[in-house]
Amino acid sequence: MTKSRGISYAVVLAAAFVLWTPVALAGTQGFSALLGLAAIPAAFLAPLKRVNTITITVALIALWATVSSLWSEENSAIIDGTLASGDFNIGAAAIRFALTALAGILVISAALRMSPSSARTALFVMLACLIIHAVWTLAMAFAPGWILSLYAPFSDVEKEAPQNMLRSTNAFLLGLPILIGAMCALPGKLPVPSIVALLIAAFIIFCMIGSDVAWIGVVLIALAIGLIFIANRNGFRILFASMAAFVLVSPLVLGIGGTAVSDAGMPLPSSVQSRVWAWQLTTEKIAERPITGHGIEASKEWRETFGDHPDLLEEMVARTGIDDGRWDVYRILPGHPHNMGLQIWAETGLIGALLVIALLLLIGWRLPAPAALPVSTSVAIAALGAASFSLFSLSYSVWNEAFWATVVLAAAGVILVHKRLTPQ
């Protein structure tokens, strides 16, 4: 039974990665549907008969996020209205997040049950698809005009296409750990120079594309890999405890610290400065409801503009040289804080933050020591943690199910590398 399960789910994962690149190129939103498709066979091949503390904590986070929609400005209730009156509504964000969490648990459970013998062809397919994604990312760096022309028939080349290119870059950042892990299987002394070359190339390419979060992710990947070699017994614990500590102190570091940076008059790029102001506003919102938060996706409704803060408006005009009135109506926080730690605090309060911290600590303590794992596995895990944390800290909304779906699929890819490359 185990063997058949393994063979079947290896095929499912291979099929998922065949779709990885086209979904990434289309802007990554399809990753949530791709995870859902991968979870359907997982539910039959690896049904959840037992749960562990990590699964329980993920379920509690999803439950608390769902409950918080009761007082969210964005979703006043999980379910409101009636079918008879025609105003029936479901708090979609909470339900989408909960379903993504369930699908993720099923996919990881099924991936962990794969038999090593079934993984050979699946690993080859997965790596081939990621290499295709790498070639596309390379083309985005060296021939952006040509790539934009390919997008032109399908999306606006001024706004939508450049955003899709950046999202595709972020997806490739999450696929990078799989390639790094696979490179550890190269013969002789090739793994180290190959991995170093890949990271340097990725750093340069991401800088050329203009994805700050991606090149920062490469730096964090390098640091995380160095950490597990230096601390080969407690490396994962240190790594995930550091992430947990960052979530804990994010209101102090990003809110109060950001205010101090602004007050000191440090010369920051306009994009960075605007993000600092968004973090300041988020910190003020945290202070209003520190225990329960404002509710899931409440930050969408925080519509304070620079015109509401004349001092910030004056500074933004001075920084950009644009004084045509556009900044008067420009929102300080455009949709979400672009830092998941702050968003967790602001929308789910201390309770949500403690649950996320508990989850990170559980992952760090449940993972085997790096020294007890093959180098390919420990390196890939560390790299995926670092890449995810970069995007966690600077990019998506915490309720972006497509982001978490990409992380789960990348984690399943790391498991596939482990299953195939671990000596039997």
Side-chain angles (χ1 to χ4, degrees):
M1 180 67 72
T2 301
K3 185 175 180 181
S4 63
R5 284 177 176 174
I7 292 173
S8 298
Y9 206 70
V11 172
V12 172
L13 270 187
F17 275 91
V18 167
L19 296 174
W20 171 287
T21 300
V23 170
L25 304 189
T28 72
Q29 292 305 305
F31 274 116
S32 53
L34 185 56
L35 178 67
L37 291 173
I40 293 172
F44 296 97
L45 299 172
L48 291 177
K49 297 179 179 179
R50 294 181 298 174
V51 295
N52 55 33
T53 51
I54 291 178
T55 302
I56 292 171
T57 307
V58 170
L60 287 174
I61 292 171
L63 176 62
W64 178 246
T66 302
V67 170
S68 76
S69 63
L70 290 169
W71 55 83
S72 172
E73 298 173 37
E74 171 66 15
N75 298 304
S76 58
I78 300 172
I79 297 176
D80 57 17
T82 64
L83 291 172
S85 61
D87 60 354
F88 180 80
N89 179 61
I90 296 176
I95 293 177
R96 288 197 310 269
F97 185 76
L99 290 175
T100 300
L102 175 60
I105 291 169
L106 289 170
V107 167
I108 295 300
S109 176
L112 288 170
R113 297 188 188 191
M114 287 187 299
S115 64
S117 61
S118 70
R120 181 176 181 178
T121 302
L123 179 61
F124 175 81
V125 170
M126 178 178 67
L127 294 178
C129 294
L130 289 175
I131 290 170
I132 293 172
H133 195 181
V135 171
W136 182 270
T137 306
L138 185 69
M140 288 194 296
F142 286 94
W146 178 67
I147 295 297
L148 282 173
S149 70
L150 295 178
Y151 276 106
F154 310 103
S155 59
D156 176 19
V157 296
E158 296 294 330
K159 294 182 179 180
E160 187 179 356
Q163 284 296 316
N164 287 340
M165 289 170 64
L166 289 175
R167 294 187 185 110
S168 174
T169 302
N170 293 343
F172 181 65
L173 175 68
L174 292 173
L176 204 56
I178 300 172
L179 293 175
I180 291 171
M183 281 182 169
C184 292
L186 293 173
K189 297 182 179 180
L190 285 177
V192 172
S194 298
I195 291 171
V196 171
L198 176 62
L199 290 176
I200 292 173
F203 179 86
I204 294 171
I205 290 168
F206 293 155
C207 288
M208 292 177 66
I209 292 172
S211 177
D212 294 341
V213 66
W215 71 253
I216 290 172
V218 172
V219 173
L220 293 180
I221 286 173
L223 293 174
I225 291 174
L227 171 64
I228 63 166
F229 280 106
I230 294 171
N232 60 4
R233 293 183 62 84
N234 295 305
F236 291 139
R237 294 182 178 182
I238 295 171
L239 180 63
F240 283 91
S242 299
M243 297 179 192
F246 183 82
V247 172
L248 179 64
V249 302
S250 57
L252 294 175
V253 173
L254 301 179
I256 298 174
T259 301
V261 169
S262 295
D263 293 344
M266 294 182 64
L268 299 173
S270 297
S271 60
V272 175
Q273 181 62 70
S274 63
R275 192 160 294 184
V276 168
W277 286 328
W279 292 341
Q280 292 174 16
L281 176 60
T282 305
T283 304
E284 293 172 7
K285 296 292 185 178
I286 291 171
E288 294 174 4
R289 298 192 67 168
I291 306 301
T292 61
H294 290 264
I296 186 171
E297 289 200 318
S299 56
K300 282 186 175 181
E301 299 301 319
W302 297 339
R303 301 188 178 277
E304 289 90 335
T305 67
F306 284 98
D308 298 325
H309 297 263
D311 54 332
L312 300 186
L313 176 62
E314 182 180 356
E315 187 171 349
M316 181 60 90
V317 169
R319 284 178 174 272
T320 62
I322 300 173
D323 190 12
D324 58 3
R326 72 178 64 178
W327 299 123
D328 294 65
V329 295
Y330 193 86
R331 289 171 61 180
I332 297 174
L333 197 154
H336 60 86
H338 289 81
N339 178 273
M340 293 192 190
L342 276 182
Q343 190 175 2
I344 289 164
W345 270 98
E347 296 182 1
T348 64
L350 175 64
I351 296 173
L354 290 178
L355 287 171
V356 171
I357 290 167
L359 176 61
L360 290 169
L361 293 176
L362 282 169
I363 293 172
W365 262 255
R366 287 291 300 273
L367 284 170
L373 292 170
V375 174
S376 58
T377 305
S378 58
V379 164
I381 291 173
L384 181 58
S388 302
F389 187 68
S390 177
L391 296 169
F392 179 100
S393 301
L394 296 168
S395 192
Y396 298 108
S397 165
V398 71
W399 314 119
N400 186 320
E401 69 276 5
F403 164 73
W404 292 114
T406 315
V407 172
V408 170
L409 290 171
V414 169
I415 294 170
L416 184 59
V417 170
H418 171 73
K419 292 286 186 177
R420 180 56 193 161
L421 300 183
T422 301
Q424 301 301 308

